Amino acid sequence: TQLLEQSPQFLSIQEGENLTVYCNSSSVFSSLQWYRQEPGEGPVLLVTVVTGGEVKKLKRLTFQFGDARKDSSLHITAAQTGDTGLYLCASGTYKYIFGTGTRLKVLA
Amino acid sequence: EAQVTQNPRYLITVTGKKLTVTCSQNMNHEYMSWYRQDPGLGLRQIYYSMNVEATDKGDVPEGYKVSRKEKRNFPLILESPSPNQTSLYFCASSLFGTVTDTQYFGPGTRLTVL
């Protein structure tokens, strides 16, 4: 069974700092999705990466898919308080598995 | 407004009392899915449905039932709830459930089984 491990589990940083969170798999991903979940709400899809080595940017967020498709990272530049939330990676088609998440808190 | 709705949002019940959590989507999506979210365990898929009358097990289907009689509705049934089913439940839908489709999540149902 494929497992998705996310690190770090918790991250607390000051506004304006940069950060990177990671998602690693025990086997090759077919594809990978990144979600953000805010308290009291369901997860919201940020991006899907499909090709090994792929890099996608969403404003201050940069998503990278490892060449071997066994790892992915999310880098946030100049974090803002609005970036606070739980970041989840997920993989699958029809049947999905999710990582346990990185809980990010950005302090003003 | 395009959305996934779940009812109820909060539910406290007792062991063994059958309950149903409803899920409805207004986006004409073929694919729907149920997840549970627990601290330290993340989101785990319970059941999914690729289209009407087609359902399949996710990673944690024990103790749950689903049905998909209409495209828009995908209720989650707990026939005999137990305390270990206390959790936060999410319903989700997407066009076909494939990697290029966006999965939209409902607001969640917080269930407590005493």
Side-chain angles (χ1 to χ4, degrees), chain B residues 20-111:
Chain B
T20 299
V21 183
T22 64
C23 173
S24 182
Q25 50 93 5
N26 63 0
M27 295 171 277
N28 204 35
H29 285 166
E30 296 287 341
Y31 176 87
M32 297 184 76
S33 184
W34 275 103
Y35 298 88
R36 59 178 289 174
Q37 187 172 33
D38 302 288
L41 296 176
L43 272 164
R44 293 179 293 166
Q45 191 176 40
I46 303 170
Y47 272 96
Y48 64 92
S49 168
M50 287 189 282
N51 49 51
V52 173
E53 301 291 4
T55 62
D56 210 342
K57 296 177 182 178
D59 280 336
V60 289
E62 297 77 21
Y64 303 94
K65 282 177 61 177
V66 292
S67 69
R68 187 94 182 274
K69 293 183 167 50
E70 310 165 275
K71 186 184 277 192
R72 64 182 292 126
N73 296 322
F74 190 42
L76 179 69
I77 302 155
L78 285 72
E79 298 231 324
S80 184
S82 62
N84 65 12
Q85 292 178 298
T86 292
S87 188
L88 180 58
Y89 291 87
F90 288 100
C91 179
S93 75
S94 70
L95 194 53
F96 296 115
T98 61
V99 64
T100 53
D101 297 329
T102 299
Q103 198 165 189
Y104 295 91
F105 283 78
T109 294
R110 188 167 290 282
L111 172 66

Side-chain angles (χ1 to χ4, degrees), chain A residues 9-107:
Chain A
Q9 273 189 289
F10 301 96
L11 192 54
S12 180
I13 61 170
Q14 292 294 133
E15 204 169 26
E17 292 184 0
N18 301 332
L19 66 113
T20 303
V21 299
Y22 300 92
C23 178
N24 294 291
S25 173
S26 54
S27 51
V28 173
F29 296 121
S30 55
S31 61
L32 192 86
Q33 298 178 325
W34 282 96
Y35 292 81
R36 179 168 66 212
Q37 183 179 16
E38 299 189 21
E41 299 181 10
V44 175
L45 180 67
L46 295 172
V47 77
T48 301
V49 285
V50 178
T51 307
E54 186 175 3
V55 177
K56 280 192 174 179
K57 292 194 175 185
L58 188 67
K59 297 183 182 176
R60 295 175 293 101
L61 278 60
T62 302
F63 303 86
Q64 193 155 4
F65 201 12
D67 290 339
R69 289 163 51 212
K70 292 182 73 174
D71 59 273
S72 181
S73 63
L74 157 58
H75 181 80
I76 301 179
T77 303
Q80 299 176 356
T81 54
D83 296 326
T84 292
L86 178 66
Y87 288 82
L88 297 161
C89 61
S91 183
T93 298
Y94 308 127
K95 195 165 183 178
Y96 283 87
I97 58 168
F98 280 74
T100 50
T102 292
R103 193 166 295 279
L104 171 66
K105 186 166 187 177
V106 181
L107 305 169

